[in-house]
Amino acid sequence: MDTKDLELFLALSESLHFSQTGDALHMSASAVSRSLKKIEEEVGQRLLERDNRSVRLTETGRQFQSYARQTLGQWRSFMEVIRRDAEELSGEVSVYCSVTAAYSVLSDLLEPFRARYPDIDIKLRTGDQADAIEHLMSGEDDVAIAARPDKLPSKIQFQTLTHSPLLFIYPVVHCAVESTIAAHQDASTSINWQDIPFIVSERGLARTRLDQWFRSQSIKPDIYAQVSGHEAIVSMVGLGLGVGVVPELVLVNSPLKDKVQVLDVQPPLAPFAVGLGASAQRLENPLVKAFWECAKASYRSEF
């Protein structure tokens, strides 16, 4: 049974009138009747009861009507997907992310995306990941790679691509900070955190979680500097200016990772859920939707 038979039966089951169905499908009433007979023979049951005054569905007819609706709906959805895939999408997608995310997370997305959609250009804007959600809310960019905030705005959709622990780091170079931490470790004593200078983010999720950790430990921190971006924290810690907290993703991709070392701190901070964000409105754009779905397929094996 092909889709035309199903479309004919669905139209007839809704109108319950052979002539009206024939007019709608540009067929004669007798042709509609012959098609119905063919369908009933294939099903092996009567689908319509007819007399001189009315036409009505049998119980099997009602079941077949539901089947026809579902089957045609699935067929049309499938054909729409095929049609969209066949069309060559072209244009531009604006992506906002940190420098680290650009050559770690984004680089893994671009190869399969460019292979599938060679005519879609990526407009990359880099900056502090703490500004990512604001960029999406203001409409400055289509998508952003960032850490998922604890409270995600209702207008923003987010898909997690990977996770990254938050690490305490201190300098390798011999300095006052390194000597203080080393002395406590050698003596197996607790670090007096109020004597340790901290390099912290100006704002963002890492700063929020670090402030929560300070409060939970009743620590009044010595803030040496507040900087924009986690990459700057690695640099300043590497110079021996203090202790910092950065995502593992930033540390492993930093050219200065050999200048710092990880400090085991308990309790640990909650890890980042790193992923792709976009406004629900922007996701209605076929180009943005294509990038979103490609990202989902690229990282599906991790979750």
Side-chain angles (χ1 to χ4, degrees), residues 11-22 32 55:
L12 180 58
S13 70
E14 291 170 351
S15 70
L16 296 176
H17 198 289
F18 284 79
S19 295
Q20 289 180 7
T21 301
V32 173
V55 177

Side-chain angles (χ1 to χ4, degrees), residues 69-82:
R69 284 175 178 157
Q70 293 178 17
T71 302
L72 285 174
Q74 292 173 353
W75 171 252
R76 288 164 183 160
S77 296
F78 171 74
M79 292 305 295
E80 178 63 19
V81 170
I82 297 299

